[in-house]
């Protein structure tokens, strides 16, 4: 079982939420951002092909940021998931992603995605 992690934005412990799909994701009770470990986003996509392209080729429009990965303490980068208009922060080492509350709303409004949680 993974250790409890702290939000890369707020530095407070994140809550583990069990999704309808049976996936544990971490949610910040303060900023409402979500941490998904590598590959978890694909479980919420109805069309998985664009996310497979991301898994193979990585983010687009990459920007350096100063955030540290809550899972492994490595550096993170910011960028867009190919074929989508939302931006995430991604760990350069473990490839987990942080999605802020604004981007979560965009994702949950897309036809290709199911709700990440209740």
């Amino acid at each position: 079982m993974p250790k409890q992690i702290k939000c890369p934005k707020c530095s407070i412990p994140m809550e583990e939420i069990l999704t309808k799909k049976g996936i544990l994701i971490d949610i910040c009770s303060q900023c409402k951002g979500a941490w998904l470990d590598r590959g978890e986003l694909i479980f919420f996509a109805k069309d998985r092909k664009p996310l497979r392209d991301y898994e193979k080729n990585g983010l687009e429009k990459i920007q350096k940021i100063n955030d540290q990965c809550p899972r492994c303490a490595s550096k993170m980068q910011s960028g867009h998931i190919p074929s989508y208009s939302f931006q995430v922060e991604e760990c350069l080492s473990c490839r987990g992603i942080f999605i802020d509350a604004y981007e979560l709303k965009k994702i949950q409004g897309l036809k290709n995605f199911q709700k990440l949680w209740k």
Side-chain angles (χ1 to χ4, degrees):
M1 179 176 200
K3 67 175 183 153
Q4 185 177 33
I5 62 172
K6 291 186 179 178
C7 177
K9 300 295 178 190
C10 303
S11 298
I12 65 168
M14 297 181 83
E15 285 182 57
E16 285 187 330
I17 304 288
L18 186 62
T19 68
K20 294 177 194 176
K21 293 272 193 179
I23 308 296
L24 273 177
I25 62 174
D26 299 279
I27 304 294
C28 178
S29 60
Q30 184 169 312
C31 74
K32 306 300 183 204
W35 177 263
L36 285 85
D37 292 318
R38 181 180 184 165
E40 287 180 340
L41 185 60
I42 204 165
F43 291 109
F44 304 100
K46 294 176 184 173
D47 177 8
R48 295 179 173 189
K49 184 184 182 321
L51 292 176
R52 286 191 183 110
D53 292 344
Y54 156 66
E55 283 293 317
K56 182 178 176 185
N57 301 315
L59 296 175
E60 299 177 336
K61 301 178 186 177
I62 295 172
Q63 300 172 359
K64 292 182 180 181
I65 58 173
N66 292 323
D67 293 351
Q68 190 176 41
C69 175
R71 205 48 96 202
C72 70
S74 295
K75 289 186 179 185
M76 294 179 69
Q77 64 185 1
S78 177
H80 287 85
I81 302 283
S83 303
Y84 294 104
S85 62
F86 59 88
Q87 183 172 337
V88 299
E89 286 82 44
E90 176 189 62
C91 175
L92 293 169
S93 181
C94 72
R95 298 219 30 221
I97 58 173
F98 180 78
I99 309 170
D100 70 30
Y102 174 76
E103 299 297 331
L104 278 174
K105 284 183 184 178
K106 284 173 45 176
I107 291 169
Q108 295 193 107
L110 296 171
K111 289 181 182 179
N112 186 41
F113 282 91
Q114 301 171 29
K115 299 284 185 206
L116 295 183
W117 69 92
K118 298 177 189 177

